[in-house]
Amino acid sequence: MLDLILPILLAFYVAGNLGANDVANSMGTSVGSKAITLGQAVVIAGLFEFTGAVLFGGRVSETLATDLIQIEAFAPDPHLLFLGAISVLLTCGVWLQTATSFGLPVASSHAVVGAIAGFTWVAVGPSAIDWKAIGQISLMWVITPIVSGSLSFLFYNRLRAWVLDRPDIEQRLQEWIPWLATGVFSLFGAIVFPTLFRHFSLPGIPPHTAAIGTASLAIAALTLTSWHRFASSQSAETLFVQFQVVSACFVAFAHGSNDVGNAIAPLAIVAQIQEHSDLSSSTFQVPLWTLIIGAIGIVFGLAIWGKNVIATVGEKIVPLQPSGGFCAEVATATTILLSSRLGFPVSTSHALVGAVVGIGLVYYQQTSQPPRWKTLQEIGLVWVITLPLTAAISATILSAARLFLG
């Protein structure tokens, strides 16, 4: 148990930096559009990050721990794998904290994949790295912002054409509120509720019936409260504040489901070393307690350090209104949750930045004001250098540990 104390503390440190960086940018559109305050973002993230990490996080954590490298190659010296996991956690924590201090939303998945590849190369050689798996994950990093950006552009473009830019906007919104509520909860319910009700089954109620019933109640509640809010304010953007809060909940859930693996995969490797005499990907399991530690660390990091990155994503790429922020978050969460179901460790920052750019392109059609390309260039540069830099740092840390610790 004593051997687990350092990895647990480091995993919590990495998760805290994930909260400061990745959860901050997943909540950035909501805070940037003034839909919610930073304090409210922490509460929302706390509940939904935790749930997403515990219910969906195991698949991505397992992918990172077993698919990138051949852990069987470390069977002659499990202590070397232990040191490698420590080097990954140190590398990711320091790199994420450095980027967060400059307000840059780095891709934590880049950091953990680079760090795992770096220590493995030094420890047992490049043949132990699954280059095909790394290539597939890298391809997903490219596809993710394209998919989320296309979805957000489509959602927002159609929303403006069918509702927001119409002269009879008040009447159109009254008609569209139930359809918007149905679309949001149907989309996320189809991805989330089947898994949710398999874990938390209700006595005498089949999981699919519970899922449909819950979604129906949520749709009715959102429709009724939205009608009441719109009747009081007669403001479209005020109405979309409520919808954006709902979409922010789903983004937090999506982030917890995917990015918790970036902090937990190395800890799960250490737990495997401690609990099993053999090192085999076939017997590998991600312990529930590791996911809980990651979820708590993520929320802690958002509360303590998240302000800088929220400002970058929520305000410095394109000024967001609640309607645009809502569409960006729907696109982001859809992209991330589908990736989590497939076990791909994609980047929330890729998805969210891509979605914000999609909204910016719709603004450009309306106002001829392009997104702030300088901010995007800075973010893109950090994304590109993260993987090779973290690979080098992790390899250096492991080499130093072998030299001094033997």
Side-chain angles (χ1 to χ4, degrees):
M1 182 61 188
L2 290 176
D3 289 340
L4 283 173
I5 292 177
L6 179 60
I8 287 173
L9 292 175
L10 288 175
F12 187 86
Y13 170 61
V14 174
N17 281 288
L18 284 174
N21 200 286
D22 275 10
V23 182
N25 71 58
S26 67
M27 286 286 163
T29 50
S30 292
V31 177
S33 67
K34 308 300 187 294
I36 57 176
T37 66
L38 182 58
Q40 291 169 333
V42 172
V43 174
I44 291 171
L47 176 62
F48 287 92
E49 286 281 343
F50 188 89
T51 308
V54 172
L55 293 184
F56 278 69
R59 182 78 182 273
V60 174
S61 300
E62 186 174 337
T63 296
L64 288 168
T66 63
D67 289 5
L68 298 184
I69 61 174
Q70 300 172 18
I71 60 174
E72 294 86 355
F74 291 88
D77 188 4
H79 182 65
L80 188 59
L81 183 59
F82 174 87
L83 292 177
I86 296 296
S87 71
V88 171
L89 291 170
L90 278 172
T91 299
C92 293
V94 171
W95 176 239
L96 287 170
Q97 186 172 11
T98 301
T100 302
S101 66
F102 288 99
L104 293 172
V106 301
S108 57
S109 55
H110 289 208
V112 71
V113 169
I116 290 174
F119 93 77
T120 302
W121 187 304
V122 169
V124 293
S127 60
I129 302 172
D130 190 333
W131 296 105
K132 181 180 179 181
I134 290 181
Q136 290 174 339
I137 292 172
S138 299
L139 180 62
M140 288 299 297
W141 291 339
V142 176
I143 293 174
T144 297
I146 296 174
V147 171
S148 63
S150 300
L151 287 175
S152 68
F153 179 88
L154 176 64
F155 293 161
Y156 194 51
N157 185 277
R158 292 299 85 201
L159 182 63
R160 294 196 70 95
W162 291 339
V163 181
L164 298 178
D165 292 338
R166 295 289 293 265
D168 55 344
I169 182 173
E170 291 81 7
Q171 180 182 345
R172 299 288 289 186
L173 271 175
Q174 291 279 10
E175 297 171 355
W176 270 85
I177 282 172
W179 294 109
L180 287 171
T182 301
V184 169
F185 280 103
S186 298
L187 184 64
F188 294 114
I191 301 172
V192 173
F193 285 167
T195 300
L196 180 65
F197 286 103
R198 280 200 302 269
H199 283 81
F200 302 103
S201 59
L202 300 174
I205 302 178
H208 66 274
T209 302
I212 294 172
T214 302
S216 300
L217 289 174
I219 290 167
L222 181 58
T223 298
L224 292 173
T225 55
S226 298
W227 270 336
H228 176 72
R229 175 182 286 267
F230 186 63
S232 302
S233 67
Q234 291 295 304
S235 168
E237 293 303 332
T238 300
L239 169 67
F240 276 102
V241 166
Q242 185 157 316
F243 276 91
Q244 194 177 4
V245 171
V246 173
S247 61
C249 294
F250 287 118
V251 172
F253 186 98
H255 179 271
S257 73
N258 200 281
D259 284 36
V260 72
N262 297 330
I264 293 311
L267 179 59
I269 289 174
V270 172
Q272 170 86 356
I273 295 171
Q274 298 295 320
E275 296 173 12
H276 299 278
S277 57
D278 66 318
L279 287 178
S280 172
S281 57
S282 62
T283 62
F284 186 89
Q285 289 186 330
V286 178
L288 178 62
W289 62 266
T290 62
L291 296 172
I292 293 173
I293 288 173
I296 295 172
I298 282 173
V299 177
F300 177 81
L302 170 64
I304 302 301
W305 299 305
K307 184 177 179 180
N308 288 341
V309 179
I310 282 179
T312 296
V313 177
E315 300 169 5
K316 294 183 180 178
I317 296 175
V318 61
L320 289 170
Q321 294 179 311
S323 57
F326 163 71
C327 292
E329 289 178 347
V330 170
T332 298
T334 302
T335 304
I336 297 299
L337 281 171
L338 287 173
S339 300
S340 295
R341 288 295 296 269
L342 297 173
F344 286 112
V346 298
S347 169
T348 303
S349 57
H350 281 210
L352 197 282
V353 170
V356 172
V357 171
I359 301 301
L361 293 177
V362 178
Y363 284 162
Y364 179 66
Q365 288 184 333
Q366 303 287 327
T367 66
S368 299
Q369 291 293 322
R372 293 164 184 156
W373 298 116
K374 182 179 180 181
T375 300
L376 292 171
Q377 289 171 357
E378 293 173 352
I379 294 172
L381 177 61
V382 174
W383 285 352
V384 169
I385 67 173
T386 293
L387 192 147
L389 183 61
T390 53
I393 294 172
S394 177
T396 302
I397 291 174
L398 180 63
S399 298
R402 294 176 70 179
L403 179 63
F404 292 105
L405 300 179

